[in-house]
Amino acid sequence: MVNSTSFLLLLSLLTFVPSCLCSTKFGGYLYPQFYDYSCPRAQEIVKSILANAVANEPRIAASLLRLHFHDCFVKGCDASILLDSSGSITSEKGSNPNRNSARGFEVIDEIKSTLEKECPHTVSCADILALSARDSTVLTGGPSWEVPLGRRDSRGASIKGSNNNIAAPNNTFQTILTKFNLQGLDIVDLVALSGSHTIGNSRCTSFRQMLYSQTGNAKVEFTLDQYYAAELRNLCPRSGGDQNLFVLDYVTPTKFDNNYFKNLLAYKGLLSSDEVLLSKNQESAELVKQYAENNDLFFQQFAKSMIKMGNISPLTGPRGEIRKNCRKINT
């Protein structure tokens, strides 16, 4: 027999669940209001600290957005990327996709420290990453979305998963799509999420193969605009300068917009993994054209795909923990 109070509670849960966007096979749910009572200022604190960080260094927005990507593609969105090496843990920070390029950890540390003072042992590092990705997008002019919350933090990392699961700049289109499919993401998500390259930088070592053929001569990849390639080669030589940085979107490098897709149509995508969206698959090429023509459409789909990505295998309920320090597991 269900009393009236229990019935009302059950009814409210049933009407709320569909908007939570994520139910796990273990029965846990992520939902935007998760901290409304336990830490009501959580989202305000995250955004405030991020606003200062982005104002001081606009590039940090792209770095934090990238951290969330690289976290979710390895064991799910569980903040495993934030763990330093210790004991039996080999940090994902040393993997090929992250070594010398993953950054923004100090900003996450500052957010976590502030939240621990505000509401101790409450807000997970995984949720901080998800909120930071959303706020970094908004602070650079991109779309906003309600972030489903309630993730818990992993007690381990996977450098093997980091090396294998994250798409590399020189992967073929099919390899990249397969890596997305394995995470439950489809071709629409792939193209929309690639639009995050509208902000941020990439190193010379990540796109050198676009500028020089494998035989070592100066033949430029045929899908790249020749004048653009010539400019890139000035600061990205055949050897050396591996860490030299280049903006991913040369038109509006610190503004989140659809110029990334317009650049692709002009054959001025910096990475091979960008160019293949236009040159290797008809469906993805059509999506590139649609997003280049319609910024609102891109923003809408990017928000949907970010929510979907943020729902990859979260730890909920009794699984995982709420780390006191995002760099190490609780003792």
Side-chain angles (χ1 to χ4, degrees):
M1 189 73 177
V2 180
N3 63 37
S4 58
T5 303
S6 299
F7 177 76
L8 288 173
L9 176 61
L10 178 62
L11 183 61
S12 66
L13 286 172
L14 287 173
T15 55
F16 180 65
V17 164
S19 67
C20 297
L21 301 162
C22 178
S23 64
T24 75
K25 60 186 177 182
F26 295 94
Y29 286 98
L30 302 184
Y31 53 97
Q33 297 81 4
F34 189 84
Y35 297 112
D36 279 8
Y37 296 103
S38 60
C39 193
R41 292 186 61 240
Q43 297 199 44
E44 176 189 335
I45 288 170
V46 173
K47 189 158 191 176
S48 174
I49 293 173
L50 272 181
N52 287 332
V54 172
N56 290 331
E57 185 194 4
R59 180 189 169 201
I60 203 68
S63 299
L64 292 170
L65 185 53
R66 185 171 183 258
L67 276 187
H68 185 43
F69 272 73
H70 285 208
D71 179 43
C72 290
F73 271 70
V74 183
K75 301 186 336 81
C77 307
D78 60 2
S80 61
I81 194 173
L82 301 179
L83 288 169
D84 289 337
S85 293
S86 64
S88 61
I89 295 173
T90 301
S91 176
E92 294 169 15
K93 296 173 183 178
S95 70
N96 291 330
N98 295 328
R99 188 172 57 249
N100 298 323
S101 64
R103 56 195 301 276
F105 300 107
E106 293 78 13
V107 178
I108 300 299
D109 290 341
E110 182 183 353
I111 293 171
K112 179 61 175 174
S113 176
T114 305
L115 285 171
E116 282 298 307
K117 293 172 184 173
E118 175 79 12
C119 33
H121 205 60
T122 301
V123 183
S124 70
C125 301
D127 279 344
I128 291 172
L129 280 176
L131 287 169
S132 296
R134 189 271 311 275
D135 291 344
S136 292
T137 302
V138 173
L139 287 165
T140 50
S144 185
W145 59 92
E146 280 198 312
V147 180
L149 300 166
R151 301 167 190 80
R152 289 167 64 83
D153 302 323
S154 69
R155 293 181 55 81
S158 175
I159 191 168
K160 180 180 179 181
S162 188
N163 278 320
N164 295 338
N165 298 0
I166 298 169
N170 60 351
N171 280 163
T172 65
F173 176 84
Q174 190 53 54
T175 297
I176 297 170
L177 181 59
T178 297
K179 289 181 177 181
F180 271 68
N181 288 163
L182 288 171
Q183 304 299 336
L185 303 172
D186 58 27
I187 193 169
V188 176
D189 300 313
L190 165 58
V191 178
L193 292 174
S194 294
S196 62
H197 286 176
T198 183
I199 55 174
N201 301 289
S202 185
R203 298 172 296 158
C204 169
T205 187
S206 296
F207 61 87
R208 179 180 279 120
Q209 79 283 351
M210 289 275 286
L211 303 179
Y212 308 97
S213 79
Q214 299 304 313
T215 58
N217 63 33
K219 184 180 179 183
V220 177
E221 173 69 30
F222 76 95
T223 56
L224 201 61
D225 177 85
Q226 301 299 293
Y227 296 103
Y228 179 55
E231 291 179 13
L232 295 175
R233 286 169 59 191
N234 285 333
L235 292 174
C236 185
R238 198 175 285 110
S239 63
D242 286 3
Q243 305 304 315
N244 291 351
L245 289 175
F246 297 76
V247 293
L248 286 160
D249 170 7
Y250 73 97
V251 179
T252 50
T254 59
K255 188 175 189 300
F256 199 101
D257 56 27
N258 66 339
N259 271 322
Y260 164 81
F261 298 104
K262 294 177 181 179
N263 295 340
L264 290 186
L265 294 178
Y267 301 102
K268 294 181 180 179
L270 186 64
L271 306 178
S272 174
S273 55
D274 296 324
E275 284 286 343
V276 295
L277 299 180
L278 183 67
S279 63
K280 300 300 183 183
N281 182 277
Q282 186 174 352
E283 186 177 354
S284 67
E286 184 57 37
L287 288 165
V288 167
K289 293 171 186 174
Q290 289 178 22
Y291 297 151
E293 293 171 2
N294 191 330
N295 191 64
D296 289 341
L297 180 65
F298 163 48
F299 276 20
Q300 290 168 16
Q301 185 56 54
F302 185 82
K304 291 178 184 177
S305 294
M306 283 297 291
I307 292 170
K308 191 173 174 182
M309 185 189 75
N311 288 345
I312 298 173
S313 304
L315 298 175
T316 58
R319 300 185 303 144
E321 64 180 17
I322 306 297
R323 286 186 219 137
K324 296 178 182 178
N325 180 335
C326 290
R327 293 175 180 263
K328 59 186 181 181
I329 60 174
N330 298 335
T331 54

